[in-house]
Amino acid sequence: MSGEKLILPLAAIRPDDIALAGGKGCALARLEREGIRVPFTIVVTTGAYQLFVDTHGLQERIFLELNRKAFADMRWEEIWDAALRIRNLFLTHPLPPALDHQLQDSLDRRFADRAAVIRSSAPQEDSAAASFAGIHESYVNVRGRARIVDHVRRVWASLWSDAALLYRQELGLDPESSSMAVLIQDLVVGAYSGVMFTVSPMQDGHSVIEAVPGLNQGLVDGLVMPARWILDRDTQAVVSHTPSTQSQAVFPADQGVRVASLAEPARQGDTLSSREIELIAEQGRRIESLFGAPQDVEWTLFDGQVTVLQARPVTTTAAAKSDKRGWYLSLRRSFENLQQLRSRIEDELIPTMNREADELAAADLDVLDDEALAAEVRRRVDRNQHWSNVYWTDFIPYAHGARLFGQVYNDVIKPDNPYAFADLLADTPMESLARNRQLEELAGIVRAVPAVADNLRHGRLEHLPSSFHAALDAFVAQYGTLSSGVTGDREGGLADSTLVRLVITLAERSPQPPIRKSVDHEALVREFVEAFPAEERDWAWSLLDLARSSYRLRDDDNIYLGRIEAQARRAVRAAAARLAGGGSEKAGAALQEALALMPLEKAASPDPDPAISPESSLQARQLVGQPAGPGMARGRARVVRSPGDLKAFQSEEILVCDAVDPNMTFVVPLAAGVVERRGGMLIHGAIIAREYGLPCVTGVPEVMQFVRTGDLITVDGYLGIVIVSPSSPGADRASTSA
Amino acid sequence: MDAHETVRRDIAHLLSEQRLATLSTCNAQGHPYASLVAFDVTPDLAGIVFATSRATRKFANLMDNNHAAMLVENSRNLKSDIYEAMAVTALGTISELSGTSQETAVAHYIRKHPHLTKFIQAPSTAVLQMAVDVFYLVNRFQKVMEYHVGRKADPAAGRDPAG
């Protein structure tokens, strides 16, 4: 790529330069040539992107990331993780000198002390067939050369975001040919801004104008409800008008934008005069006729004139119907949205949920007659379903808090390890860790008094010292017997429970020192907060606080949900016992019906398919996942297919599972490493492995098929691989060859 | 298609599409040697056939020690090979073919390598076959699967060159 093509003024872009300047860049260049007012713009071409990527060999590193396993086998969490690692490549590598020199020179001339807007302009985006609107990043009000360059990198990286990767896959676009130009523009702060669809996506004979006070960002990001005018496409007459009831708008802050309340006169809703509507409509028509197709035009009104910020084809109505960008865009959550979600979760949902679990636990089911018991089972199963729905609709999206923090942390700190941010989140008080500490305390008593261990082993609970019995009862009251993998459930009684077995196993090993933390949390937090200018540090603290809450809840919510489920299971067990004891036929039918609502046996992961033909066999030697906890460990695998398998867990075994949840992570302190089929750096297995400093690999698609309890395996948490030793004495492997 | 079938298909495809393999041998003193050979695979994947002059070092090594490894791979000397290329390592024991086994193997071999007809039919050339114990299939940079092929006993298949 020749050097002079790295940075270009708009005037140098020709209509057929889409491969160099992207769709947005070419459209703006055309508008400028036609005398339509557009912001001053320089184009950082795809040549600059390619030079940066080629200089550091990033294309190969990106594809190595994306080809560790089949894209179809990657869960969204894994794609997000890969996107985070790729983003870090763009943030941490220096610009090649030739590009750096040209860019600095261009910025010196125009943007030394002028606010800029940094927009994506990928050649693949903004075609009539596929709109990438909102998929790639754009940034409004960026000041200072260093910050502008940083934001150019972020726009480049957004080519490889989770949403962009998934969206391109959906459209069948080849990632290998993906590239990105970036527009650096003057920030034009008009009195009002908005969009115009020259053909309404809803009705062909209409055009639509939407307007908000201040910056367009409020409308585009969905933060501010716009006023709307529907126009007749032929006559441009206003067909209908919906005033805005919004009392807020988006304005430039020192850096970036802020949502601010509007003064009273601006709240009246009639943001545009009829003359202004005519001006915008006229401009829209002109642009449509220039490009020969209906257009989606972003504009702002400045000095009484329309400035066009960008124009792109309206995707056809049929295409719009199948456009799934909304789903991909929902993968991102704003800080404000997450703060609202946090209030709802912490102030309403969790207190209500815990109160309900306590009330259910306190109710005496023995006093209910058969029909009342059947009704109670139905009610509890319903409540369990209700809270399970809340888990998916509210709790799961809140996990984005930790992800948002991770991205911001990487933007400002630029660490070599893109997951360094997790060190600032670890060490938060989590329910599962508190439970595990209590287990260690019980084990400490057993270790100190051999008679206690002996009585526990032989199920002689009545011979236990009363103080130990009381401690055991207190644990059961809070967490249950651990046998069913549901927190608070007391299935099967205490004597032969997973709890008792686990306490004995924990006691058999020497006392464990407190979990070693190799990082200085305070120093990390200081470094993070001080990376922000003084006026933004409060926000940085708030973000960190939000992330810690999100990280903690990611684990705790399962425990809370477990307590509700335990109470449903208690009622189901009571009904089953009642049925076994006989009773009236009518009541029996009601109980039977209620029991069918909730099977007590949890579905186990399917047994591995040995896949052995009469004359050949297949084994895994090395399986690939994602590194989710640094370190290496070698040990016997304990493959957990159902909660019952946890009871046999031995010290220094490797926990191998489909998906571990916090109701089952009480064995992790015994483990030497963790391997999970489900992938992600912020899933439960990875979170708890990091807390205990254990090597962890997640996202190993075939692990449950090819690894069996007793196999000698090595977990390489640095590289994200699991090595299965060729001979594994003690393994219950099926015959290996004909 | 299950994992077993997928792995078998991938191995069969690679062995049929590639013409050359890297043969690793070891002499009686434990000194290793690697050489390139044109190979053919039996339809059941249990045997890999190749030929060499009896004067070569690889033949001498196999006289000393009939255990060997063969590597077949499809890299194209591109950066993307690291995640796109596939490699199969076969481990097994090597014996020289004779009689009808040799005739069948040579006929099959010539179909894959017609330009080597004179070479394989020369009196000084030994036609050898690896009886494969195990294949290791490596793809996506680090994923390694171990595939054991059942061998059908065939006493007439050939004699052990070391024996």
Side-chain angles (χ1 to χ4, degrees):
Chain A
M1 183 60 61
S2 58
E4 69 271 18
K5 297 279 192 183
L6 300 178
I7 314 285
L8 290 174
L10 221 43
I13 305 293
R14 298 184 309 269
D16 59 353
D17 273 341
I18 285 186
L20 190 66
K24 219 174 280 174
C26 283
L28 281 176
R30 176 94 188 267
L31 296 176
E32 187 183 57
R33 256 197 313 280
E34 298 293 335
I36 292 171
R37 214 156 115 151
V38 300
F40 173 87
T41 302
I42 57 173
V43 181
V44 182
T45 65
T46 54
Y49 170 87
Q50 216 55 57
L51 178 65
F52 177 75
V53 161
D54 290 348
T55 300
H56 301 295
L58 299 191
Q59 188 83 345
E60 290 73 31
R61 293 176 70 174
I62 290 168
F63 285 102
L64 198 50
E65 273 295 349
L66 298 177
N67 286 281
R68 286 178 68 79
K69 56 190 197 190
F71 197 76
D73 283 343
M74 289 171 81
R75 300 170 72 232
W76 169 74
E77 279 90 339
E78 295 174 79
I79 295 170
W80 188 87
D81 287 337
L84 187 78
R85 289 192 287 267
I86 292 170
R87 183 181 167 89
N88 230 40
L89 296 176
F90 283 89
L91 297 178
T92 53
H93 284 84
L95 295 193
L99 173 58
D100 191 36
H101 177 74
Q102 284 193 41
L103 188 54
Q104 293 298 344
D105 194 42
S106 300
L107 295 179
D108 276 346
R109 275 188 266 131
R110 182 74 180 189
F111 293 100
D113 51 10
R114 194 188 292 258
V117 177
I118 320 292
R119 289 185 195 274
S120 66
S121 182
Q124 284 179 332
E125 68 182 27
D126 295 350
S127 70
S131 168
F132 274 72
I135 294 282
H136 297 138
E137 298 286 358
S138 287
Y139 298 93
V140 176
N141 191 26
V142 184
R143 289 172 181 274
R145 282 168 301 182
R147 278 203 173 213
I148 291 175
V149 172
D150 256 2
H151 285 76
V152 169
R153 294 164 182 279
R154 291 180 204 179
V155 174
W156 282 341
S158 72
L159 189 60
W160 305 102
S161 72
D162 53 339
L165 286 167
L166 286 162
Y167 188 55
R168 277 203 300 271
Q169 190 209 25
E170 169 109 359
L171 299 182
L173 298 175
D174 177 13
E176 296 221 23
S177 61
S178 299
S179 192
M180 177 70 86
V182 182
L183 310 182
I184 304 176
Q185 302 179 303
D186 277 356
L187 170 63
V188 182
V189 186
Y192 297 103
S193 308
V195 295
M196 177 181 183
F197 289 90
T198 60
V199 173
S200 164
M202 309 306 290
Q203 193 172 337
D204 285 352
H206 289 166
S207 305
V208 185
I209 293 174
E210 291 183 335
V212 292
L215 295 171
N216 222 2
Q217 207 70 6
L219 194 164
V220 175
D221 290 350
L223 294 170
V224 179
M225 180 71 77
R228 178 180 291 120
W229 290 263
I230 308 290
L231 311 181
D232 183 287
R233 206 168 124 71
D234 296 328
T235 64
Q236 303 289 316
V238 174
V239 175
S240 68
H241 168 41
T242 312
S244 169
T245 53
Q246 194 69 40
S247 60
Q248 292 184 314
V250 171
F251 296 103
D254 292 328
Q255 292 273 358
V257 297
R258 67 192 164 84
V259 180
S261 293
L262 290 170
E264 197 54 44
R267 296 187 184 188
Q268 299 311 309
D270 282 331
T271 45
L272 300 179
S273 67
S274 50
R275 173 67 193 138
E276 287 166 337
I277 291 167
E278 276 174 31
L279 275 177
I280 294 161
E282 197 178 296
Q283 206 64 286
R285 267 169 88 96
R286 194 173 159 206
I287 294 170
E288 179 180 307
S289 88
L290 267 180
F291 290 112
Q295 296 289 301
D296 163 5
V297 180
E298 277 188 37
W299 53 265
T300 191
L301 272 176
F302 184 74
D303 272 356
Q305 292 193 56
V306 178
T307 298
V308 174
L309 305 173
Q310 62 179 32
R312 57 186 163 221
V314 176
T315 44
T316 63
T317 308
K321 278 181 188 156
S322 62
D323 186 356
K324 295 188 179 159
R325 264 177 309 129
W327 186 84
Y328 298 119
L329 293 174
S330 75
L331 297 174
R332 281 203 294 267
R333 296 249 174 176
S334 69
F335 176 73
E336 291 75 17
N337 177 289
L338 288 163
Q339 286 284 46
Q340 287 169 5
L341 193 54
R342 176 182 186 174
S343 297
R344 178 171 151 75
I345 289 172
E346 290 186 344
D347 301 341
E348 294 172 33
L349 295 174
I350 293 202
T352 310
M353 191 177 184
N354 285 343
R355 208 168 36 244
E356 188 169 330
D358 288 345
E359 284 167 11
L360 293 174
D364 184 355
L365 300 176
D366 291 340
V367 300
L368 302 177
D369 64 26
D370 289 351
E371 284 188 30
L373 181 58
E376 183 64 9
V377 170
R378 281 196 297 274
R379 184 174 81 88
R380 290 183 177 216
V381 170
D382 276 351
R383 295 311 295 161
N384 184 51
Q385 187 57 53
H386 164 75
W387 286 112
S388 182
N389 294 344
V390 168
Y391 173 83
W392 286 103
T393 56
D394 292 274
F395 296 171
I396 290 280
Y398 187 47
H400 285 294
R403 295 195 175 95
L404 177 65
F405 170 73
Q407 188 159 312
V408 172
Y409 181 87
N410 288 357
D411 285 351
V412 296
I413 301 294
K414 301 183 177 62
D416 289 336
N417 169 13
Y419 264 89
F421 74 88
D423 287 338
L424 280 83
L425 305 182
D427 216 16
T428 48
M430 295 194 291
E431 284 275 353
S432 58
L433 296 178
R435 174 199 60 205
N436 291 2
R437 273 194 301 276
Q438 282 195 41
L439 283 168
E440 190 53 51
E441 283 168 19
L442 289 171
I445 300 172
V446 175
R447 205 177 286 125
V449 187
V452 173
D454 200 44
N455 285 326
L456 274 180
R457 261 186 217 102
H458 294 94
R460 298 190 294 257
L461 301 189
E462 68 282 8
H463 294 156
L464 293 171
S466 58
S467 60
F468 181 78
H469 216 308
L472 209 53
D473 287 345
F475 182 93
V476 171
Q478 205 172 358
Y479 299 108
T481 57
L482 308 183
S483 297
S484 68
V486 177
T487 296
D489 196 16
R490 302 180 189 190
E491 183 180 281
L494 187 55
D496 191 35
S497 66
T498 298
L499 168 61
V500 164
R501 184 67 248 163
L502 184 69
V503 169
I504 293 169
T505 309
L506 284 166
E508 282 168 352
R509 61 180 197 163
S510 48
Q512 297 300 296
I515 303 167
R516 183 177 55 82
K517 297 290 178 190
S518 59
V519 292
D520 180 345
H521 270 94
E522 284 184 17
L524 285 175
V525 170
R526 233 181 3 258
E527 183 193 20
F528 171 66
V529 174
E530 288 174 2
F532 289 84
E535 64 276 12
E536 291 177 28
R537 287 183 187 164
D538 282 348
W539 183 82
W541 275 114
S542 304
L543 177 63
L544 176 58
D545 191 51
L546 173 86
R548 285 181 163 163
S549 151
S550 155
Y551 191 76
R552 184 176 61 246
L553 189 83
R554 181 88 182 88
D555 224 55
D556 287 355
D557 55 10
N558 290 76
I559 302 262
Y560 301 143
L561 191 59
R563 288 191 173 129
I564 296 277
E565 187 186 343
Q567 292 310 316
R569 292 169 65 87
R570 181 165 79 97
V572 170
R573 272 201 303 279
R578 196 76 66 87
L579 262 179
S584 76
E585 197 174 316
K586 186 181 166 204
L591 285 170
Q592 283 284 16
E593 195 181 314
L595 280 181
L597 296 172
M598 187 178 199
L600 285 171
E601 280 299 315
K602 284 186 165 266
S605 313
D607 279 332
D609 171 8
I612 296 189
S613 76
E615 293 182 351
S616 60
S617 74
L618 183 66
Q619 295 173 21
R621 281 283 291 124
Q622 190 165 287
L623 295 172
V624 180
Q626 282 196 52
M632 265 185 93
R634 191 158 192 255
R636 298 281 171 202
R638 172 68 57 183
V639 181
V640 174
R641 297 186 186 280
S642 66
D645 295 331
L646 294 163
K647 191 173 177 182
F649 204 95
Q650 298 297 307
S651 190
E652 297 305 307
E653 286 183 331
I654 309 276
L655 172 62
V656 176
C657 57
D658 184 80
V660 71
D661 94 55
N663 290 291
M664 294 154 69
T665 50
F666 43 79
V667 295
V668 170
L670 285 171
V674 176
V675 181
E676 191 165 332
R677 180 199 59 80
R678 194 173 56 159
M681 284 288 286
L682 289 174
I683 59 172
H684 304 298
I687 288 174
I688 194 121
R690 272 198 297 275
E691 289 291 339
Y692 286 95
L694 299 179
C696 177
V697 177
T698 67
V700 190
E702 309 96 333
V703 72
M704 299 298 282
Q705 185 179 358
F706 287 106
V707 175
R708 293 166 192 246
T709 290
D711 281 357
L712 191 57
I713 64 174
T714 303
V715 183
D716 185 337
Y718 298 109
L719 296 178
I721 54 180
V722 178
I723 300 119
V724 186
S725 292
S727 61
S728 304
D732 58 349
R733 182 183 296 285
S735 71
T736 54
S737 62
Chain B
M1 190 179 293
D2 66 15
H4 183 268
E5 277 308 307
T6 303
V7 167
R8 184 184 169 87
R9 182 202 59 193
D10 286 349
I11 292 171
H13 182 70
L14 189 75
L15 295 184
S16 67
E17 103 187 334
Q18 295 299 311
R19 295 172 178 281
L20 300 179
T22 303
L23 171 71
S24 296
T25 57
C26 208
N27 70 9
Q29 289 73 47
H31 296 155
Y33 184 67
S35 51
L36 213 52
V37 294
F39 75 95
D40 184 29
V41 65
T42 58
D44 62 0
L45 301 186
I48 298 178
V49 175
F50 62 100
T52 183
S53 161
R54 292 172 201 283
T56 58
R57 188 188 314 194
K58 58 175 115 34
F59 187 78
N61 283 359
L62 289 169
M63 289 290 125
D64 287 344
N65 178 353
N66 67 344
H67 293 282
M70 289 180 100
L71 174 73
V72 182
E73 48 91 19
N74 63 359
S75 68
R76 295 174 294 158
N77 203 26
L78 300 175
K79 287 177 182 172
S80 57
D81 284 340
I82 202 75
Y83 55 84
E84 282 184 347
M86 192 180 282
V88 165
T89 299
L91 302 186
T93 50
I94 290 178
S95 56
E96 185 173 355
L97 296 178
S98 61
T100 52
S101 297
Q102 180 180 346
E103 285 167 18
T104 308
V106 166
H108 201 268
Y109 184 96
I110 287 172
R111 279 204 291 278
K112 185 173 179 182
H113 304 283
H115 53 296
L116 295 178
T117 303
K118 274 195 172 176
F119 164 69
I120 199 167
Q121 289 176 342
S124 55
T125 295
V127 179
L128 303 162
Q129 176 166 311
M130 171 185 277
V132 180
D133 289 325
V134 59
F135 286 111
Y136 292 95
L137 173 69
V138 185
N139 59 9
R140 293 189 183 279
F141 181 33
Q142 284 176 314
K143 184 179 173 188
V144 188
M145 298 300 289
E146 180 178 320
Y147 183 78
H148 291 257
V149 184
R151 265 180 278 154
K152 292 190 176 77
D154 180 5
R159 64 182 177 81
D160 183 346

